[in-house]
Amino acid sequence: MINLIQKNIFRAFIGFLIIFTLNLYSEDQSDADSFFGREAPIYPLPDNLIGWIDSRQILTLNGEWSYIVDPMNNGLPESSFFGGFPKNKIQKTGMELIEYNFETASKIQIPGAWNAEDEKLFFYRGPVWLYKKFNYLPKQDALTHLYIEGSNFTTKIFLNGSIVGEFEGGYVPFNFDISKYLKEGENILLVQTDNTLNESSVPTQKTDWWPWGGIVGDVYIVETPKQFIQNAYIQLNPENFSEVLFKLEINKKSVGHKIKLEIPELQFKAEYQTNSLGLVKENIEINPQLWSPSSPKLYEVIISSNAETISDEIGFRSIKTQGQKIYLNDREIKFKGIAMHSEPIGTPGPAFSKEHFQELLSTAKDLNINFIRAAHYPYTRHLAKVADRFGLMLWEEVPVYWNIDWNNSDTLNIAKNQIARLVQRDQNRASVVVWSVANETPLSSPRMKFLDALLSEIEAHDSSRLSTAALLSGSEEQFRSLVLVLALQGAKSQWVNPKEKAIFRLILDQANIPINTELAFSLSIDDPLGESVDLISYNEYFGWYYVTFFTEQMMISEGTLRKLMFEIMPKIKIASSFNKPIHISEFGAGAKFGNHSNKIWSEEYQAKLYARQLEMLSNNPQIQGISPWVFKDFRAMLRPLPGIQDFYNRKGLIDEAGNKKMAFEVLADFYKNKWNKETTSN
Ligand code: GCB
């Protein structure tokens, strides 16, 4: 008998040796498993997004997690012969060969970016594994989901050694049904987050913000009944302010599912049943007090079925454009805004919590704003929730930034998924009045097709808000005329030195323009995307970048051109061939807090640029909104200048610690005292 066992063991060992050796030397890599890797398993995609998350049955997994950096991407089951990290082999006797250990690995706080929390990972771009142990008692007759509010940028999830799935595209929430993987007692969740960006990702490789890696939003275990309310939309009917539109969907297409809707403050209570598609669609007569910046009224809305109750605080308002004006609740309004990045005051890394956004928004309110551009990607849901309460209107955006791979259908799918998830999550936020599909995307026909597809995706979910994209505009020819306007100013100005004056005269002579000509620079925003969007948004940098471009060409010093630019700015005309309102989505200048001089990077230069810009913009009647760049200095790999930038973009009105620069007051004063007081009562 013993002999037989020994023989079998010996056979198995020889068999293993043969397979192992064959695999080592196998030429056909696509063949079964090899020493160097295995065929990648299928990673399922997330389920439909669960809405109204804050009122669900939740167990939070926020808090301390362990992490291991994996620059060679060796921990995936498909890339290592040892079975990968998800196997989570445990040391029992001290004789097991294991070259990783999550129990003794360094710890990190989740939500949070590992490149913010570990100095060694500051510039790192690649895979990092996150590990969390939790106790659980699986429920009968219920589903259990894993909900992650945002994870950058490719995320693979394993639970108790099994593959749960994968999600590509950061910043937005996603969820998986994990019921079948859960055990009673201790469970081990392992998440691989990879912040590598490539040519076809969204955003693409080059961005002027930090690619924070890791789980950057809440992580929850969510319990629902087997048949549950997937999401519900309840918003004012823009055509009739005493009516709201109510749409609800359950996870299974079953007819006759009973739903109760209550708005206690309005003494409203009604019951509905789902149709054969599992939907409820109703126009409901109520007479809500409307939400507005001066009166951000929210109502408790409760939805229930036999098995569950969900609720939210919801405001009702309308937003539209007509001709060149914007109307909130049918009253004209201007967007008195500021642009932001999602980074908290005083703490490095991404902003993700209610507290982060409360601090950011309450400081931003000192600017007398009513509007925030949340650039350039979705923030966590807490932003819009806080904005709802603070009475701030919001522009939300997806990271279709600069040059995306317009022809790549995978890229388009990532972007579509991002905008759809953002809309589905924030569709009941009164504060959200603008969806933006892109920032500074160069003209081409594949780009038009791509962006039109994103606009249609929005339309499919929500047509009640304004659509836009921050455009780049102005043809080369238009900008050539800026050279002439600068030359005219230079030829006339007393303070210009004779040598430069002579150059200006020469430029004018060559263009056949007499020195006493009155010529103002006009910029026309005519990007064809203007046809498809409600709001014509435009980023411009008069007084900052739009000077540097011309110095070499004109052989004039940058100092002279900057001074001349400030002189001509108030007369610059900005308009669009589309009969729609213009929103100046960016302008700005870099300044280091505490740096005082009359040179660039000083607070004085930034403040002066703001004064000139605001004069220019208020002289242009088609401009109905602005959101200068930017509220706070933010981390940016493109900004290395030692002593000034040190990897911060310095265009903030406050620095990273919250210190206000001089331009802060210039903008605050403009919004308070100068910009069309009559349209601010809303
Ligand atoms: C832009 C971009 C923004 C940059 C900004 C800058 O036009 O939209 O992402 O950070 O300029 O500071 O140059």
Side-chain angles (χ1 to χ4, degrees), residues 208 341 376 401-402 439-440 539 541 545 586 629 634 639 649 651:
D208 191 22
H341 265 290
H376 284 300
Y401 183 85
W402 294 349
N439 181 73
E440 295 183 349
N539 295 351
Y541 280 91
Y545 297 123
E586 287 180 29
W629 194 254
F634 60 93
R639 313 288 172 177
N649 182 314
K651 296 190 188 73

Side-chain angles (χ1 to χ4, degrees), residues 280-512:
V280 173
K281 268 187 174 177
E282 297 285 338
N283 286 21
I284 295 167
E285 223 176 285
I286 53 171
N287 215 341
Q289 183 191 320
L290 300 184
W291 182 98
S292 72
S294 58
S295 166
K297 173 74 193 154
L298 301 177
Y299 290 94
E300 186 188 19
V301 176
I302 306 168
I303 304 175
S304 50
S305 70
N306 286 342
E308 65 184 327
T309 299
I310 58 174
S311 64
D312 201 353
E313 303 273 308
I314 295 178
F316 302 101
R317 54 101 198 91
S318 81
I319 186 82
K320 69 173 183 198
T321 64
Q322 206 168 20
Q324 300 186 356
K325 304 275 189 226
I326 307 168
Y327 297 87
L328 180 80
N329 302 330
D330 282 351
R331 293 172 69 179
E332 194 188 327
I333 194 157
K334 280 191 160 65
F335 291 159
K336 304 198 292 178
I338 189 73
M340 267 192 193
H341 265 290
S342 186
E343 290 185 6
I345 298 172
T347 326
F352 47 79
S353 66
K354 181 171 151 196
E355 291 71 27
H356 285 154
F357 293 115
Q358 275 171 342
E359 190 180 10
L360 278 165
L361 269 49
S362 61
T363 316
K365 270 202 123 179
D366 291 347
L367 285 166
N368 306 311
I369 53 168
N370 62 12
F371 182 90
I372 286 176
R373 176 184 177 197
H376 284 300
Y377 41 78
Y379 301 7
T380 69
R381 71 192 188 289
H382 298 294
L383 168 74
K385 289 207 149 187
V386 173
D388 264 10
R389 295 195 170 280
F390 280 36
L392 286 168
M393 292 178 284
L394 279 185
W395 153 319
E396 294 198 327
E397 181 168 339
V398 285
V400 176
Y401 183 85
W402 294 349
N403 230 345
I404 291 277
D405 193 353
W406 306 114
N407 289 306
N408 187 330
S409 58
D410 291 341
T411 309
L412 177 60
N413 281 337
I414 297 172
K416 269 166 109 173
N417 208 344
Q418 284 172 325
I419 193 89
R421 285 170 182 277
L422 174 62
V423 174
Q424 285 164 0
R425 188 195 65 190
D426 286 351
Q427 59 187 4
N428 292 321
R429 300 281 75 87
S431 52
V432 179
V433 292
V434 177
W435 301 123
S436 172
V437 291
N439 181 73
E440 295 183 349
T441 48
L443 303 190
S444 74
S445 60
R447 169 261 198 187
M448 279 297 285
K449 258 179 84 185
F450 190 109
L451 297 184
D452 275 335
L454 296 189
L455 291 167
S456 309
E457 187 68 32
I458 296 177
E459 196 66 26
H461 297 283
D462 169 48
S463 53
S464 71
R465 289 154 171 104
L466 308 182
S467 61
T468 200
L471 304 174
L472 272 175
S473 207
S475 61
E476 242 180 69
E477 201 184 312
Q478 283 182 21
F479 277 100
R480 232 173 284 134
S481 88
L482 182 55
V483 169
L484 297 176
V485 176
L486 286 166
L488 274 169
Q489 187 71 17
K492 271 183 258 172
S493 289
Q494 299 297 319
W495 54 267
V496 173
N497 71 45
K499 199 174 135 222
E500 291 187 326
K501 221 172 214 157
I503 298 178
F504 287 133
R505 288 214 179 97
L506 199 70
I507 293 173
L508 294 172
D509 273 357
Q510 275 171 357
N512 252 331

